[in-house]
Amino acid sequence: MYSFSPKLRLYSIILIVLGLVLFGAGYLMNHNIDDARIEHMMEIAHAGGDHTPTHSSELVGPQDHQAHLDHAKMQVHNQPLAAIHTVAVFLFALSCCALFFYSIQNAAHAGWSIIVLRVMEAIASFIPWAGGLLLIIMLLNITHMGHLFHWMDPATTTQGDPHFDSIIFEKSSFLNIPGYVIRNIIYVVGASFFAWKLKSLSRKVDDTKDRKVYATYYSWSVGYIAFFGFASAAWAWDWLMSIDTHWYSTMYIWYAMVSCLASAIAAITLISVYLKKKGVLPQFNDNHLHDLGVYLFATSMLWTYTWFCQFMLYWYANVPEEVNYFFGRFKYYSATFLPMLILNFLIPLLVLVSSSIKRNYTVVTTVAVIVLIGHWLDYFNMVMPGTVGPYWQTVEVLLLNLGSVLFGLGLFVFVVLTALSKLKLIPEGNPFVKESKIYEYPF
C-alpha cells in the first residue's frame, strides 16, 4: 500500500500556491496594460510592414486602425484565460488518454500491464478536476467574459453586420453556444463517469474474483474506448481547432489525441518508476519499463507522422485560409513551433530506438519528462497563436503560463498520489496478474 508522503504532499501544495500567486501577478499586470502599450506592441509585432495574421478571421470585417486596435486589445486580454485553457485541456486529455490506454489493456486481455493498472486508474482520477476547470472556462466564454472563441461573437453570424463572417456562418450548425455547452457537459460527465465506473468494477473484481464481474469490467472498458473515440474527436474540434475557425484539418483529431496519449504514457512511466524506487511496487521490473518505453517511442513516432502529414498537406496546397495557420506560427512563434520537434520527435527517436536503453530507469524517465514538456509546448502552439496572436513574448505571458503550469502540476500530483494512496497497488483479483508478475520480454 502506498502512503502519500507528507513531504511530497507539502511540495504539491507549494506548487499550487506558487502557481496561483504567479498567475495572479500575471493577471494583474495584464489587466493594467493600457491602449498606448498595446499600440506599441502592435508596432513591434508588425515592424517592417509585415502584417502576417495569426488568425484568418483578422481578414474579415473592418480593416481600419481602430478595428485592428480593438482586435489587438482582445488578444492581449485573452492571455490569462488562454494560459489556463492550455493546461486544462492538456491535463484533461492526458487523463482521458491514460484511461483509454487502461481500457485497451483490459479489452486486449493484456498480461504485461496489470502491474501498472492502478497507476492508470489514479491518473484517471484527475478527469473530474480538469473537467471542472474546463466547465468554468466554458462559462466564462459563453457569458462573453472570455473571448477565446471568435465564433461565439453573435455579430459573426448576423447577416448584414459589418463583422459578418460567411465561413463561421456556414459552420454555425455545429459551432453554436447551446451545442457547445451540451457537448462540454457530455465530455466531462461522461469521462468522469467511466473513470468512476471502471475503478469501482476493478475493486469489485479484486474483492469477488468472479469471472462474471470481470466480464462486466471488460464490457465497460470496451464502452469507454467507443466513448473516447467519439468524444476525443469532438473536444479537439471544440476546445482547440475552433479557435482557428476558418481553418480545418482532417488530421487534427488524431494529432491532438496522440499528443496526449504520448504524454499519458510518459506520466504512467514516471509514476511507476517513482513507486518502484519507493519500494512499494517491487513487482515493476525492467521488462515493464521496456514495454512502456516501447509505447513511448511508438506514440512519439505516431505524433510525428500526424504532425508531418498535417503540415505538408496544407503547406503545398497553398490555399490562403489553410496555410495561414502555419504562416502565423512561423512568423511569430518560431521559437516554439519547430523546436518542439526536437523534444517530441528527435530525442525519443535517438534515445529510445535501442531496446537495451529502454531498460535504463534514468534514461527512460528523463525522456518521459522531456516528452511531457514537449507536448505541453505542442498544446501551447495549438492555443496561443489563435487567441493571443503575436503578443506573447511579454513578462505577463511568462507569469501566466508558468503559474498555470505550476498550478496544474501541483494539483495533478496532489490528486493522483492521493488516489494512489487509497488503492491496492496490485489488482490481485485480475485473472492476468500472475502473468504480469512473471512477465519477461523475450528479446
Side-chain angles (χ1 to χ4, degrees):
M1 194 79 175
Y2 169 69
S3 177
F4 192 2
S5 73
K7 188 175 181 179
L8 187 54
R9 187 190 302 271
L10 177 62
Y11 286 158
S12 65
I13 294 171
I14 289 172
L15 285 175
I16 293 170
V17 174
L18 181 59
L20 289 173
V21 170
L22 291 175
F23 185 86
Y27 178 84
L28 290 175
M29 291 172 66
N30 175 271
H31 189 70
N32 290 324
I33 296 176
D34 56 17
D35 288 4
R37 186 178 167 200
I38 292 175
E39 294 238 27
H40 181 63
M41 292 166 72
M42 290 173 66
E43 291 174 5
I44 294 172
H46 302 302
D50 188 347
H51 293 272
T52 302
T54 53
H55 197 302
S56 51
S57 64
E58 295 175 45
L59 303 174
V60 178
Q63 297 295 309
D64 56 25
H65 176 74
Q66 186 59 44
H68 287 298
L69 177 60
D70 290 342
H71 187 74
K73 287 166 65 176
M74 182 184 70
Q75 288 181 316
V76 169
H77 295 303
N78 269 343
Q79 291 169 359
L81 199 57
I84 198 68
H85 180 75
T86 302
V87 172
V89 175
F90 178 69
L91 289 178
F92 180 83
L94 184 156
S95 303
C96 287
C97 281
L99 191 62
F100 173 62
F101 190 65
Y102 171 92
S103 297
I104 287 175
Q105 305 307 312
N106 290 330
H109 296 308
W112 74 272
S113 57
I114 306 304
I115 291 298
V116 294
L117 283 187
R118 294 291 194 242
V119 174
M120 302 180 207
E121 284 182 14
I123 294 174
S125 298
F126 195 73
I127 290 173
W129 293 82
L133 191 54
L134 285 167
L135 291 180
I136 293 170
I137 294 170
M138 176 197 75
L139 290 173
L140 292 174
N141 281 302
I142 65 174
T143 56
H144 305 293
M145 295 174 68
H147 304 282
L148 296 185
F149 302 99
H150 180 64
W151 59 265
M152 286 189 180
D153 183 354
T156 60
T157 53
T158 303
Q159 293 181 332
D161 191 284
H163 295 90
F164 175 74
D165 190 319
S166 60
I167 294 178
I168 294 178
F169 180 76
E170 292 296 327
K171 295 183 177 183
S172 60
S173 57
F174 181 82
L175 293 178
N176 58 80
I177 288 177
Y180 178 78
V181 171
I182 292 169
R183 290 192 300 273
N184 271 249
I185 293 171
I186 290 172
Y187 306 148
V188 174
V189 174
S192 300
F193 168 76
F194 274 104
W196 166 79
K197 185 66 177 179
L198 288 170
K199 186 187 291 186
S200 63
L201 284 171
S202 177
R203 288 179 176 177
K204 194 172 181 181
V205 168
D206 269 8
D207 294 338
T208 64
K209 296 182 174 60
D210 188 331
R211 290 301 176 90
K212 289 183 179 179
V213 176
Y214 181 78
T216 304
Y217 177 50
Y218 168 87
S219 299
W220 278 99
S221 296
V222 173
Y224 178 71
I225 293 171
F227 169 82
F228 177 85
F230 288 102
S232 63
W235 79 51
W237 292 331
D238 277 323
W239 293 334
L240 297 169
M241 194 164 70
S242 75
I243 289 172
D244 299 275
T245 326
H246 283 204
W247 182 74
Y248 183 80
S249 168
T250 55
M251 298 292 294
Y252 196 88
I253 57 176
W254 311 110
Y255 171 71
M257 187 274 284
V258 172
S259 182
C260 276
L261 181 58
S263 302
I265 293 167
I268 293 165
T269 303
L270 288 171
I271 296 171
S272 299
V273 172
Y274 165 73
L275 295 175
K276 169 76 171 180
K277 297 300 183 183
K278 290 286 289 184
V280 294
L281 193 61
Q283 298 87 348
F284 182 84
N285 58 42
D286 296 357
N287 299 288
H288 302 105
L289 180 70
H290 176 275
D291 277 20
L292 286 171
V294 168
Y295 277 106
L296 188 59
F297 175 81
T299 50
S300 296
M301 297 308 104
L302 180 57
W303 174 86
T304 308
Y305 168 77
T306 56
W307 185 94
F308 178 79
C309 289
Q310 180 176 251
F311 173 77
M312 280 304 298
L313 287 170
Y314 282 88
W315 187 258
Y316 74 64
N318 199 31
V319 179
E321 62 267 25
E322 295 175 350
V323 298
N324 176 73
Y325 182 87
F326 297 105
F327 274 141
R329 284 159 174 79
F330 271 116
K331 173 65 179 175
Y332 303 114
Y333 286 77
S334 57
T336 61
F337 185 57
L338 288 180
M340 73 177 178
L341 289 172
I342 298 171
L343 303 179
N344 296 335
F345 165 59
L346 195 59
I347 292 176
L349 174 66
L350 296 178
V351 176
L352 294 180
V353 71
S354 167
S355 183
S356 60
I357 205 71
K358 296 186 186 77
R359 297 173 181 272
N360 187 307
Y361 285 83
T362 302
V363 171
V364 174
T365 52
T366 301
V367 174
V369 171
I370 290 170
V371 165
L372 282 169
I373 294 170
H375 285 291
W376 169 81
L377 199 60
D378 185 20
Y379 268 63
F380 178 90
N381 283 311
M382 291 188 212
V383 174
M384 301 300 279
T387 55
V388 307
Y391 315 111
W392 68 280
Q393 293 178 310
T394 65
V395 175
E396 293 87 355
V397 173
L398 174 64
L399 291 174
L400 289 165
N401 280 280
L402 183 58
S404 298
V405 169
L406 293 179
F407 171 77
L409 176 61
L411 187 61
F412 183 82
V413 170
F414 185 87
V415 171
V416 170
L417 295 188
T418 299
L420 264 179
S421 67
K422 298 176 181 178
L423 297 169
K424 291 192 298 183
L425 292 183
I426 304 298
E428 296 292 352
N430 193 295
F432 298 96
V433 68
K434 183 178 179 182
E435 180 182 339
S436 189
K437 288 179 178 179
I438 64 172
Y439 174 69
E440 184 175 348
Y441 189 70
F443 300 106

